[in-house]
Amino acid sequence: MTMPSPTIEPRHFRDVMGHLPTGVVVVAGRRVDTGDPAGLVVGTFQSLSLDPPLVSFSVATTSSSWPKIRPAEYFSASVLADGQNDVCRAMSSKRDDKFAAVDWNESTDGAPQISGSHAWIDCRTVRELEGGDHLVVIAEVRRLEAGGGDPLLFHRGRLGGYRELQF
Ligand SMILES: Cc1cc2nc3c(=O)[nH]c(=O)nc-3n(C[C@H](O)[C@H](O)[C@H](O)COP(=O)(O)O)c2cc1C
């Protein structure tokens, strides 16, 4: 027997799920029509499969940036480093000129990689799945490279840093 779905208040959902710390990743690509960079911050980026190498993230169906990135298929995921708070703020805004004050380089596939990041993963979208008010994007990894420093972290609506403890 299927139990009725309980009502979960959106604010409560966000509050409790905000206790799950995440990295801060900029997903960015180039518009095929203008060549302009487009991107957004996601906290849902994760590795999905080793063989074949796949990653995934979820993006709101209301995102204005993902429809600009999608047509090119290729995008780059930049894992932000400690201290890149201003990049996080700019790339999670709704501004049209998100990249105006952000340094970036072009990946081999032509996608924007944020300079000074903690790691970069160059990807090609292979599938999109519906997930409520989000889409789950599945992408193949084409190449990836680690940078230096520590990661930027997001927890309970705030940015912070990584602190190492004994395992
Ligand atoms: C730390 C952090 C994590 C976020 N994670 C996600 C995410 O996983 N998926 C998503 O769609 N938006 C996420 N957002 C919100 C988008 O970055 C923000 O709404 C962005 O500006 C999207 O706008 P646009 O696509 O209309 O440009 C996150 C924002 C922050 C600051």
Side-chain angles (χ1 to χ4, degrees):
M1 190 181 79
T2 311
M3 304 290 274
S5 299
T7 304
I8 305 284
E9 283 294 324
R11 197 169 356 148
H12 184 56
F13 181 92
R14 289 179 82 122
D15 178 41
V16 175
M17 295 311 292
H19 286 65
L20 175 67
T22 70
V24 181
V25 174
V26 173
V27 166
R30 297 287 279 268
R31 295 182 61 141
V32 290
D33 51 351
T34 61
D36 290 338
L40 76 158
V41 168
V42 299
T44 49
F45 193 89
Q46 60 178 3
S47 73
L48 174 65
S49 160
L50 189 59
D51 184 16
L54 298 173
V55 291
S56 71
F57 65 92
S58 63
V59 60
T61 52
T62 52
S63 168
S64 59
S65 295
W66 180 243
K68 298 173 188 163
I69 300 167
R70 176 194 282 129
E73 287 184 36
Y74 298 97
F75 67 86
S76 196
S78 299
V79 181
L80 295 189
D82 197 344
Q84 290 188 304
N85 328 16
D86 49 347
V87 177
C88 175
R89 194 177 329 110
M91 299 303 301
S92 59
S93 73
K94 283 276 178 188
R95 289 166 39 173
D96 264 346
D97 61 341
K98 290 189 190 195
F99 284 81
V102 173
D103 286 337
W104 55 277
N105 305 298
E106 201 170 68
S107 74
T108 308
D109 301 320
Q113 296 178 324
I114 307 297
S115 309
S117 292
H118 191 50
W120 299 271
I121 303 110
D122 292 340
C123 307
R124 185 180 70 90
T125 304
V126 292
R127 213 165 161 197
E128 286 185 32
L129 308 174
E130 282 178 24
D133 57 8
H134 280 59
L135 296 166
V136 180
V137 179
I138 298 177
E140 83 177 11
V141 174
R142 294 175 56 75
R143 62 190 75 75
L144 69 175
E145 194 186 340
D150 287 324
L152 185 64
L153 301 179
F154 188 69
H155 176 241
R156 299 191 68 190
R158 301 168 80 130
L159 296 173
Y162 170 74
R163 180 167 61 99
E164 188 169 338
L165 300 170
Q166 206 160 25
F167 206 107

